[in-house]
Amino acid sequence: QVQLVESGGGLVQPGGSLRLSCAASGRTIGIAVMAWYRQAPEKERELVATITSGGNTNYADSVKGRFTISRDNVKNIMYLQMSSLKPEDTAVYYCNAGGYAPSSRAWGQGTQVTVSS
């Protein structure tokens, strides 16, 4: 079983930047895909970005050009660098990691990101 712990959330002004981290522990061998999801109040959880063990990335259209996902396979840490933040980026951000099948992956507890002046 993989355990995931997110950190780095907080309050930031529009246009600002923030970096989220997700530390994986436990059965980390074989983590093929790591991803960030987010859930805004009264909205469904949505995929923000994914990264494979080989470094292939994919982004939601709403964050392309503003967010960058990366991972350190040695330290088992994933990052989400968020820039040019908008109020609509406000959400709880969740880390997700495991095999290629989404249903096989573990979830973190989430970290709140609030973009507001």
Side-chain angles (χ1 to χ4, degrees):
Q1 190 72 299
V2 175
Q3 291 80 46
L4 304 170
V5 178
E6 302 97 332
S7 61
L11 173 64
V12 62
Q13 292 187 342
S17 298
L18 209 58
R19 189 177 81 158
L20 305 182
S21 299
C22 170
S25 61
R27 195 171 182 178
T28 58
I29 293 176
I31 294 181
V33 179
M34 299 187 80
W36 288 100
Y37 285 75
R38 67 186 182 186
Q39 187 167 19
E42 300 182 357
K43 291 190 176 181
E44 292 188 357
R45 192 173 295 190
E46 63 174 357
L47 179 63
V48 175
T50 62
I51 185 167
T52 68
S53 55
N56 293 318
T57 59
N58 192 34
Y59 296 91
D61 287 342
S62 59
V63 306
K64 280 181 182 177
R66 300 188 298 120
F67 290 10
T68 301
I69 190 172
S70 60
R71 66 189 279 182
D72 184 327
N73 289 330
V74 175
K75 296 181 179 179
N76 292 309
I77 299 177
M78 175 178 63
Y79 303 97
L80 185 69
Q81 179 66 47
M82 304 184 293
S83 303
S84 301
L85 282 161
K86 306 174 181 179
E88 51 263 44
D89 294 318
T90 295
V92 177
Y93 284 70
Y94 295 92
C95 176
N96 176 263
Y100 285 102
S103 60
S104 70
R105 300 181 205 148
W107 290 94
Q109 82 288 352
T111 185
Q112 176 70 47
V113 172
T114 302
V115 184
S116 175
S117 55

